[in-house]
């Protein structure tokens, strides 16, 4: 630090503190490096152009500022009296157009990789790359810690005016520039205790950042540093005009409409109704005289919390959002780091991972003036933040939506889809002024066609029969073929059918009816399969119960399903005092059941009746019973047989507990196709060595 050249020292603004933190935390990431390349067409007076730039550096202290933090209790910005800003010049006129474009890409990349040493002023670099006698690429790079878009609009206007005056050998008397220190002084006069009370109330009860569920979490292929990628989408002039008209009609801002649409999008993506994302505010306090003409970094990034209630009416909801933004503006000077501390978000987690930036400074006017004086066109910008997803809104005749995103977190097609969904939401806001939030569509027209028409074009003919009826068809076709094997026991199709018929006829004599629920709790065996088919043939539906389940869980399922009849064996024991239930012990009733008819019983059951009720795992609370109709089960099995190309002669192995839904596929699919079913015992099914041996031995 050159003390003789020192002009001023003062603290950092909240946003500067944040940018400094992220820059020194990851110095090689290129975070908050900003770059703009412009094509200049015409006879540029390089001497006067450089003089104009040096003049604005001399006028504005922030352009002569460096930052110091090492071995200090807090960081400071240091303003130097004199700082020289040179323009690097390169002559590419001898290169072909293709070579020039390739060289420009390499130059921009190298320029970004060079970065900035924040302790060395100026934090601004300029380059002129001559590509023809009257054409240049102009590259301007700076660190975001000194300037934002509003300030650049001011600077471009000054540079444009100074350049034209110098070229005409005139003196331009610009008004004295207000120093950035005035803003820092104003900040130091604000009462943070009031801000703390406000932000604590705003964020009370919010304890986890809104998930970006469309990203690729922990993808090891993308664990290295990467530059942000960009995509943009322009709304039509018609849509933009309609949104502006809607905003005026309801005394809303265009910014509020976009924020509301983005909140809806995040809500529908995440399934959450309590949404938080970041917003950038201009940060220029109206109480500070002349603030609109001060050059520096005034922006602040703040959390915006929005409750998305689907049945809320759109316009009142947007008005409430606008009122909330007005409140936030009173405390927009608050450092984000402090807000994070005051929130209920655990340390180490961010308040938000997506931000929305609405550019409301007069960028078009500044560019128009530059186009006239130096032939500026073809603006290409680069900016990198520490947030995975940055939505930038650029007003104009056609509202532009830009997303900068971390390619380690998001695939290109996902960002395209986000932009399309946001566009759909915005397009439908003007037509839904009296509607509710749920009325606003999210899907684009091609997506609606795909989801509702193309992917739903799945109609197929399939047998309108019950599973046991399809089994009976196979019995007639191949009565003597082996149907099922369990250890050293086997049954042909006819034998299996007859034993199931005897149980079914016995159950019917007990008075069971279609849709009656019969519990079955039997170890994996031939008796299990006979029990299942017998219950279905009797016209009932079964509730599968795994004998290995805890007693309390089995009791709950029997009570919840209101099972009045339970088929099991004498090895099963349950507390019956809580249950009004009749228990049939299969092994004790074998001789009685064997006296029943072996003919197929008659029942009134059809494909619209229940086949079984299966309970969920209960991992999110109590288990819940799911009702499965015969039609659904038949549809599923026929679809599987067609997709897998199955036919007679295959051998199926059943290894799944009866209480898991895939058991129905394993047990019934071979029986309705005339295949052979092998049932593995619980011991074999849970032992890899024994299971592999069974697979080889059974074919």
């Amino acid at each position: 630090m050159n003390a003789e050249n020192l002009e001023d020292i003062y603290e950092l603004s909240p946003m500067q503190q944040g940018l400094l933190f992220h820059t020194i935390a990851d110095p090689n990431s290129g975070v908050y490096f900003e770059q703009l390349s412009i094509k200049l067409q015409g006879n540029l007076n390089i001497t006067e152009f450089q003089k104009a730039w040096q003049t604005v550096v001399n006028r504005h202290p922030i352009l002569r500022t460096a930052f110091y933090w090492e071995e200090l209790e807090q960081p400071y910005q240091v303003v130097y009296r004199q700082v020289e800003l040179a323009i690097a010049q390169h002559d590419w006129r001898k290169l072909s157009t293709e070579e020039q474009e390739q060289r420009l890409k390499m130059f921009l990349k190298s320029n970004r990789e060079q970065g900035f040493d924040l302790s060395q002023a100026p934090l601004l670099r300029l380059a002129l790359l001559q590509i023809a006698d009257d054409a240049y690429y102009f590259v301007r790079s700076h660190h975001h810690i000194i300037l934002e878009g509003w300030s650049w609009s001011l600077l471009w206007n000054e540079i444009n005016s100074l350049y034209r005056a110098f070229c005409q050998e005139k003196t331009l008397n610009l008004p004295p520039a207000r120093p950035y220190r005035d803003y820092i002084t104003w900040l130091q006069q604000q009462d943070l205790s009031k801000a703390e009370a406000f932000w604590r109330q705003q964020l009370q009860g919010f304890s986890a950042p809104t998930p970006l569920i469309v990203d690729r979490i922990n993808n090891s292929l993308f664990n290295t540093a990467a530059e942000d990628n960009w995509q943009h989408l322009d709304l039509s002039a018609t849509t933009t005009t309609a949104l502006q008209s809607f905003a005026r009609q309801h005394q809303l801002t265009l910014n509020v409409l976009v924020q509301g649409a983005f909140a809806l999008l995040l809500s529908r993506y995440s399934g959450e109704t309590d949404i938080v994302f970041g917003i950038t505010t201009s940060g220029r306090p109206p109480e500070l005289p002349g603030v609109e003409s001060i050059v520096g970094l005034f922006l602040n990034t703040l959390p915006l919390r929005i409750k998305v209630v689907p049945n809320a009416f759109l316009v009142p909801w947007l008005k409430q959002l606008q009122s909330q933004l007005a409140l936030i503006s009173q405390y927009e000077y608050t450092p984000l780091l402090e807000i994070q501390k005051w929130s209920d978000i655990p340390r180490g987690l961010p308040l938000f991972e997506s931000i929305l930036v609405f550019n409301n400074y007069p960028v078009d006017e500044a560019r128009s003036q530059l186009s006239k004086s130096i032939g500026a066109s073809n603006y290409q910008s680069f900016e990198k933040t520490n947030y995975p997803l940055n939505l930038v809104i650029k007003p104009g005749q056609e509202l532009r939506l830009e997303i900068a995103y971390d390619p380690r977190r998001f695939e290109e097609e996902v960002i395209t889809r986000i932009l399309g969904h946001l566009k759909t939401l915005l397009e439908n806001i003007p037509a839904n002024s009296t509607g509710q939030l749920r009325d606003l569509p999210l899907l684009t027209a091609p997506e609606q066609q795909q989801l509702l028409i193309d992917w739903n074009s799945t109609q197929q003919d399939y047998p309108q029969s019950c599973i046991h009826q399809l089994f009976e068809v196979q019995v007639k076709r191949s009565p003597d073929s082996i149907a099922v094997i369990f250890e050293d026991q086997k049954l042909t199709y006819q034998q299996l059918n007859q034993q199931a018929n005897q149980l079914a006829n016995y159950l019917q004599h007990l008075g069971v009816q279609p849709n009656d629920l019969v519990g079955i709790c039997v170890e994996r065996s031939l008796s299990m399969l006979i029990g299942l088919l017998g219950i279905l043939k009797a016209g009932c539906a079964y509730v599968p119960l795994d004998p290995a389940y805890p007693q309390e869980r089995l009791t709950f399922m029997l009570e919840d399903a209101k099972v009045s009849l339970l088929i099991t064996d004498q090895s099963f024991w349950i507390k019956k005092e809580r249950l009004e239930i009749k228990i049939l012990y299969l092994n004790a009733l074998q001789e009685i059941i064997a006296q029943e008819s072996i003919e197929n019983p008659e029942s009134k059951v059809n494909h619209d009746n229940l086949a079984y009720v299966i309970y969920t795992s209960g991992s999110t609370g109590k288990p819940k019973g799911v009702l499965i109709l015969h039609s659904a089960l038949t549809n599923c099995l026929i679809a599987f047989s067609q997709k897998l190309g199955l036919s007679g002669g295959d051998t199926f192995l059943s290894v799944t507990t009866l209480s898991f839904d895939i058991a129905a596929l394993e047990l019934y699919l071979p029986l309705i196709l005339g295949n052979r079913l092998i049932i593995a015992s619980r011991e074999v099914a849970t032992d890899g060595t024994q299971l592999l041996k069974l697979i080889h031995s059974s074919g």
Side-chain angles (χ1 to χ4, degrees):
M1 184 187 301
N2 184 354
E4 294 180 358
N5 193 26
L6 198 63
E7 180 177 294
D8 205 351
I9 298 177
Y10 44 86
E11 297 175 7
L12 279 61
S13 71
M15 189 70 162
Q16 286 180 313
Q17 292 174 27
L19 269 53
L20 176 65
F21 169 80
H22 289 294
T23 301
I24 62 180
D26 196 356
N28 298 320
S29 66
V31 69
Y32 293 107
F33 184 98
E34 300 207 0
Q35 188 180 66
L36 176 71
S37 69
I38 308 173
K39 188 173 183 180
L40 307 182
Q41 193 75 42
N43 295 313
L44 182 70
N45 187 326
I46 297 176
T47 301
E48 304 305 340
F49 188 60
Q50 181 159 358
K51 183 179 175 183
W53 277 98
Q54 185 63 54
T55 302
V56 297
V57 170
N58 297 342
R59 278 176 48 77
H60 298 285
I62 195 67
L63 299 178
R64 293 178 271 115
T65 295
F67 295 82
Y68 292 87
W69 63 90
E70 292 181 345
E71 300 180 6
L72 298 174
E73 291 185 3
Q74 62 177 351
Y76 288 92
Q77 48 191 321
V78 174
V79 181
Y80 293 103
R81 285 193 174 88
Q82 292 183 329
V83 168
E84 183 179 347
L85 178 65
I87 299 182
Q89 298 183 47
H90 300 270
D91 191 343
W92 293 352
R93 283 177 290 182
K94 292 182 180 180
L95 303 178
S96 68
T97 302
E98 293 75 16
E99 288 173 326
Q100 288 173 350
E101 291 176 354
Q102 187 61 34
R103 186 73 67 88
L104 177 64
K105 289 180 182 178
M106 293 169 59
F107 179 87
L108 294 175
K109 186 174 187 295
S110 173
N111 188 261
R112 292 195 292 267
E113 290 173 349
Q114 183 181 346
F116 284 103
D117 179 352
L118 295 185
S119 66
Q120 299 296 316
L123 298 178
L124 171 67
R125 278 200 302 272
L126 308 177
L128 268 176
L129 318 170
Q130 189 166 11
I131 55 176
D133 290 343
D134 62 348
Y136 303 82
Y137 286 125
F138 174 65
V139 180
R140 181 211 76 200
S141 305
H142 76 285
H143 197 286
H144 192 33
I145 198 168
I146 59 170
L147 294 167
E148 22 82 315
W150 183 307
S151 294
W152 271 117
S153 291
L154 299 173
L155 288 175
W156 278 124
N157 286 330
E158 285 192 12
I159 289 164
N160 182 56
S161 299
L162 288 164
Y163 174 72
R164 287 191 296 183
F166 293 158
C167 287
Q168 297 170 13
E169 298 183 355
K170 293 181 180 179
T171 301
L172 184 65
N173 294 315
L174 294 173
R178 297 272 322 256
Y180 186 60
R181 169 185 258 289
D182 289 358
Y183 172 58
I184 300 297
T185 302
W186 179 87
L187 279 174
Q188 293 169 338
Q189 295 168 352
Q190 305 313 303
D191 186 354
L192 266 189
S193 63
K194 290 182 179 179
E196 178 179 355
F198 171 77
W199 286 111
R200 284 190 183 277
Q201 185 273 329
Q202 282 283 301
L203 297 171
Q204 186 177 11
F206 189 83
S207 57
T210 300
L212 298 174
I213 63 166
V214 290
D215 67 347
R216 37 183 166 199
I217 304 288
N218 296 330
N219 191 330
S220 60
L221 295 176
F222 295 89
N223 57 4
T224 57
E227 289 189 349
D228 282 6
N229 286 354
W230 284 80
Q231 284 191 45
H232 77 269
L233 183 152
D234 293 331
L235 300 188
S236 68
T238 302
T239 298
T240 303
T241 301
L243 286 167
Q244 291 168 337
S245 176
F246 179 90
R248 283 194 302 270
Q249 179 185 353
H250 299 286
Q251 292 84 49
L252 297 166
T253 65
L254 197 56
N255 189 11
V256 166
L257 301 191
V258 177
Q259 289 173 339
F262 190 52
L264 277 171
L265 183 140
L266 290 178
S267 174
R268 294 188 187 177
Y269 273 29
S270 66
E272 305 280 348
T273 57
D274 194 0
I275 302 298
V276 171
F277 58 89
I279 57 171
T280 58
T281 61
S282 72
R284 292 179 181 260
E287 313 92 84
L288 179 59
V291 67
E292 67 282 349
S293 64
I294 300 177
V295 172
L297 181 69
F298 289 84
L299 289 179
N300 200 5
T301 302
L302 301 169
L304 177 61
R305 184 181 187 181
I306 304 177
K307 298 293 181 67
V308 180
V309 183
N311 61 358
F313 286 94
L314 175 63
V315 172
W317 181 73
L318 290 171
K319 284 183 176 291
Q320 183 180 357
L321 172 57
Q322 185 157 281
S323 299
Q324 184 180 347
L325 290 168
L327 276 175
I328 287 175
S329 68
Q330 299 176 37
Y331 303 95
E332 63 180 347
Y333 56 83
T334 318
L336 181 59
L337 183 62
E338 295 300 317
I339 298 174
Q340 173 96 22
K341 292 177 184 176
W342 299 330
S343 75
D344 295 331
I345 296 284
R347 290 190 66 179
L349 284 181
L351 256 176
F352 45 82
E353 291 196 298
S354 58
I355 63 170
L356 190 157
V357 181
F358 194 95
N359 287 347
N360 60 351
Y361 47 85
V363 63
D364 288 341
E365 180 184 335
R367 288 187 176 183
S368 175
Q369 294 299 320
L370 287 171
S371 178
K372 292 176 183 177
S373 65
I374 55 176
S377 64
N378 195 26
Y379 292 79
Q380 301 292 328
S381 61
F382 170 89
E383 178 182 1
K384 182 183 175 79
T385 75
N386 62 296
Y387 296 104
L389 186 71
N390 302 265
L391 172 63
V392 180
I393 309 300
K394 296 184 176 179
Q397 288 186 333
E398 294 183 341
L399 192 70
R400 169 160 289 198
L401 315 176
E402 283 186 358
I403 290 183
Y405 63 97
D406 187 340
R408 295 169 299 179
R409 293 282 299 270
F410 299 97
E411 296 176 350
E412 183 179 351
E413 55 269 25
V414 167
I415 300 301
T416 303
R417 199 157 62 241
I418 290 174
L419 285 170
H421 291 163
L422 192 57
K423 175 176 180 278
T424 302
L425 286 167
L426 287 167
E427 286 175 337
N428 284 276
I429 282 177
N432 283 274
S433 59
T434 59
Q436 296 174 314
L437 301 187
R438 61 159 59 98
D439 298 329
L440 286 170
L442 180 78
L443 301 180
T444 62
E447 286 175 326
Q448 290 193 38
Q449 169 72 24
Q450 185 182 58
L451 284 172
L452 301 179
I453 309 299
D454 299 345
W455 286 353
N456 255 339
S457 183
T458 59
Q459 187 168 343
Q460 294 275 355
D461 290 329
Y462 68 95
Q464 301 296 298
S465 304
C466 300
I467 291 300
H468 61 275
Q469 293 166 344
L470 296 176
F471 165 67
E472 290 167 358
V473 171
Q474 292 301 329
V475 173
K476 290 181 180 179
R477 288 179 180 170
S478 51
D480 297 324
S481 297
I482 298 298
V484 59
I485 298 173
F486 175 72
E487 295 180 342
D488 58 352
Q489 307 169 53
K490 62 180 67 175
L491 292 174
T492 65
Y493 270 85
Q494 182 164 289
Q495 290 170 332
L496 176 59
N497 189 52
Q498 289 175 347
Q499 292 192 34
N501 286 343
Q502 289 175 321
L503 176 59
N505 286 313
Y506 180 78
L507 292 175
Q508 285 188 342
H509 290 153
L510 294 179
V512 296
Q513 300 293 325
N515 288 336
D516 280 359
L517 296 183
V518 177
I520 179 166
C521 188
V522 180
E523 281 291 350
R524 301 173 57 73
S525 61
L526 296 184
S527 295
M528 177 188 73
L529 186 59
I530 292 167
L532 294 171
L533 289 172
I535 293 170
L536 294 176
K537 281 170 167 283
C540 304
Y542 63 88
V543 179
L545 302 161
D546 190 329
Y549 277 0
Q551 285 280 319
E552 285 301 316
R553 181 184 173 94
L554 293 172
T555 302
F556 167 79
M557 292 159 66
L558 289 168
E559 283 183 320
D560 188 63
K562 296 182 172 57
V563 171
S564 57
L565 181 64
L566 173 65
I567 293 176
T568 184
D569 57 43
Q570 287 179 312
S571 64
F572 178 72
W573 179 86
I574 195 167
K575 297 177 182 178
K576 292 193 292 182
E577 57 269 17
R578 281 172 52 182
L579 302 167
E580 294 182 9
I581 190 169
K582 182 177 179 63
I583 299 181
L584 300 184
Y585 295 107
L586 281 181
N587 50 356
L589 294 170
Q590 281 184 342
E591 294 183 5
I592 297 174
I593 294 173
Q595 297 173 17
E596 293 287 344
S597 169
I598 60 173
E599 300 300 321
N600 293 334
E602 293 183 6
S603 75
K604 297 178 181 179
V605 70
N606 60 50
H607 66 279
D608 290 326
N609 288 114
L610 281 177
Y612 59 94
V613 175
I614 193 160
Y615 274 77
T616 62
S617 65
S619 58
T620 58
K622 289 184 177 180
K624 293 171 279 291
V626 182
L627 284 66
I628 307 297
L629 302 180
H630 278 281
S631 58
L633 182 56
T634 301
N635 183 14
C636 176
L637 296 186
I638 296 299
F640 260 103
S641 67
Q642 292 175 352
K643 290 289 184 184
L644 298 176
L646 301 173
S647 58
D650 293 313
T651 300
F652 284 72
L653 181 62
S654 169
V655 298
T656 307
T657 171
L658 193 56
S659 290
F660 188 49
D661 208 26
I662 204 73
L665 174 70
E666 291 182 353
L667 296 172
Y668 302 135
L669 187 55
L671 297 182
I672 68 173
L673 296 176
N675 295 146
R676 178 175 298 189
L677 169 66
I678 296 174
I679 299 176
S681 67
R682 184 187 297 274
E683 291 72 26
V684 171
T686 55
D687 184 309
T689 302
Q690 293 188 63
L691 185 59
L692 185 62
K693 184 178 179 182
L694 177 60
I695 289 171
H696 287 307
S697 65
S698 63

